[in-house]
């Protein structure tokens, strides 16, 4: 996948190096060309000097071929504008923006832009939103037979009840993360855009569960 990162500070440079190490192609955009020194001599991706929400700058960074975009500059407004341009103008599917003011995070989430507030930022969280596939184990019991994991959920499940998700996938939803807060769902809770789903499941059923979550609900049966 080609990934564009706006901001070459400590977060942006760490993301760029990690993603390139995983085999992705990466372009980093920053208005200060001296910031690219953080990438090191081994970084082989693109270094683009410019404003991260300028469309010509983004095209130079390969946004039209990108599968993901991360806005991790030092400015909340710049990050959210760039993220919206990437999503709305160029149709990038996986977009994430770092937000310093957590009070703004809920507003931006409602605009359809997943945000990561600086106070709870980790590289793993940002990577999870850029590459939302499969399951990310969070806890295993001592025997290794049962685990708690965040499972990537197809957009097709949005608007359906948790009870239907559980019935068709055979897992138990432990909790949801919605707008940065954990909630304990009931069987009547409806999955919303941007929800992160955390489930308890048998370790030997990971592949089956991942496939069911990625596929979406089956046609037969009611919601």
């Amino acid at each position: 996948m080609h990934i564009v990162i706006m901001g070459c500070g400590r977060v942006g440079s760490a993301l760029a190096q990690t993603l390139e190490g995983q085999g992705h192609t990466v372009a980093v955009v920053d208005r200060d060309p001296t910031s690219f020194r953080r990438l090191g001599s081994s970084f082989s991706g693109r270094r683009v000097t410019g404003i991260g929400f300028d469309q010509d700058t983004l095209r130079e960074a390969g946004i039209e071929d990108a599968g993901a975009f991360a806005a991790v500059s030092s400015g909340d407004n710049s990050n959210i504008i760039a993220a919206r341009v990437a999503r709305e103008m160029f149709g990038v599917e996986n977009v994430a923006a770092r937000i310093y003011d957590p009070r703004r995070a809920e507003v931006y989430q409602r605009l359809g832009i997943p945000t990561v507030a600086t106070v709870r930022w980790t590289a793993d969280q940002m990577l999870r939103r850029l590459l939302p596939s499969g399951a990310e184990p969070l806890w295993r019991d001592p025997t290794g037979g049962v685990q708690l994991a965040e499972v990537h959920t197809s957009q097709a499940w949005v608007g359906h009840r948790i009870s239907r998700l559980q019935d068709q996938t055979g897992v138990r939803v432990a909790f949801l993360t919605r707008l940065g807060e954990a909630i304990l769902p009931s069987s009547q809770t409806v999955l919303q855009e941007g929800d992160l789903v955390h489930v308890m499941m048998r370790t030997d059923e990971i592949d089956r569960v991942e496939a069911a979550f990625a596929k979406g609900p089956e046609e037969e049966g009611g919601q």
Side-chain angles (χ1 to χ4, degrees), residues 127-129 131-140 146-158 162 165-166 168-177 191-216:
L127 288 168
R128 183 65 177 156
R129 285 153 179 77
L131 307 172
S133 60
E136 182 70 17
L138 303 174
W139 172 87
R140 288 185 177 88
V146 176
Q147 71 173 266
L148 172 68
E150 177 191 324
V151 182
H152 173 59
T153 309
S154 166
Q155 286 290 104
W157 284 107
V158 172
I162 292 297
L165 178 66
Q166 294 182 139
Q168 292 193 5
T169 62
V171 301
R172 178 173 298 177
V173 176
F175 66 97
L176 304 176
T177 300
L191 199 65
Q192 296 183 10
E193 176 82 22
D195 284 354
L196 301 179
V197 183
H198 308 270
V199 306
M200 295 296 299
M201 60 182 170
R202 291 188 54 83
T203 301
D204 58 9
E205 294 189 340
I206 292 177
D207 291 343
R208 181 189 63 78
V209 172
E210 288 180 354
F213 272 62
K215 180 181 178 182

Side-chain angles (χ1 to χ4, degrees), residues 16-211:
Q17 292 165 340
T18 299
L19 290 165
E20 187 173 69
Q22 293 180 355
H24 301 284
T25 61
V26 182
V28 182
V29 177
D30 200 293
R31 65 178 68 196
D32 179 6
T34 64
S35 67
F36 297 131
R37 291 180 296 187
R38 292 189 177 94
L39 295 170
S41 59
S42 63
F43 180 73
S44 61
R46 303 184 203 176
R47 299 168 171 84
V48 180
T49 302
I51 298 174
F53 49 81
D54 177 76
Q55 294 184 36
D56 290 336
T57 299
L58 289 172
R59 288 191 181 94
E60 184 180 349
I63 194 70
E64 292 170 319
D65 299 317
F69 177 81
V72 291
S73 76
S74 59
D76 282 7
N77 290 337
S78 295
N79 286 343
I80 199 61
I81 292 171
R84 293 193 68 181
V85 169
R87 169 71 61 80
E88 298 169 13
M89 299 298 296
F90 294 102
V92 179
E93 182 177 355
N94 300 312
V95 174
R98 182 176 67 167
I99 301 300
Y100 281 85
D101 183 354
R103 294 172 298 180
R104 298 182 179 182
E106 180 174 347
V107 176
Y108 296 145
Q109 290 267 23
R110 294 188 185 281
L111 293 175
I113 303 296
T115 60
V116 178
T118 301
V119 293
R120 59 178 185 273
W121 183 89
T122 66
D124 287 343
Q125 286 179 312
M126 184 63 79
L127 288 168
R128 183 65 177 156
R129 285 153 179 77
L130 295 178
L131 307 172
S133 60
E136 182 70 17
L138 303 174
W139 172 87
R140 288 185 177 88
D141 80 298
T143 69
V146 176
Q147 71 173 266
L148 172 68
E150 177 191 324
V151 182
H152 173 59
T153 309
S154 166
Q155 286 290 104
W157 284 107
V158 172
H160 293 277
R161 293 191 180 98
I162 292 297
S163 57
R164 184 175 186 185
L165 178 66
Q166 294 182 139
D167 290 344
Q168 292 193 5
T169 62
V171 301
R172 178 173 298 177
V173 176
F175 66 97
L176 304 176
T177 300
R178 176 174 294 171
L179 300 176
E181 296 185 0
I183 64 171
L184 295 175
S186 70
S187 60
Q188 300 303 307
T189 300
V190 174
L191 199 65
Q192 296 183 10
E193 176 82 22
D195 284 354
L196 301 179
V197 183
H198 308 270
V199 306
M200 295 296 299
M201 60 182 170
R202 291 188 54 83
T203 301
D204 58 9
E205 294 189 340
I206 292 177
D207 291 343
R208 181 189 63 78
V209 172
E210 288 180 354

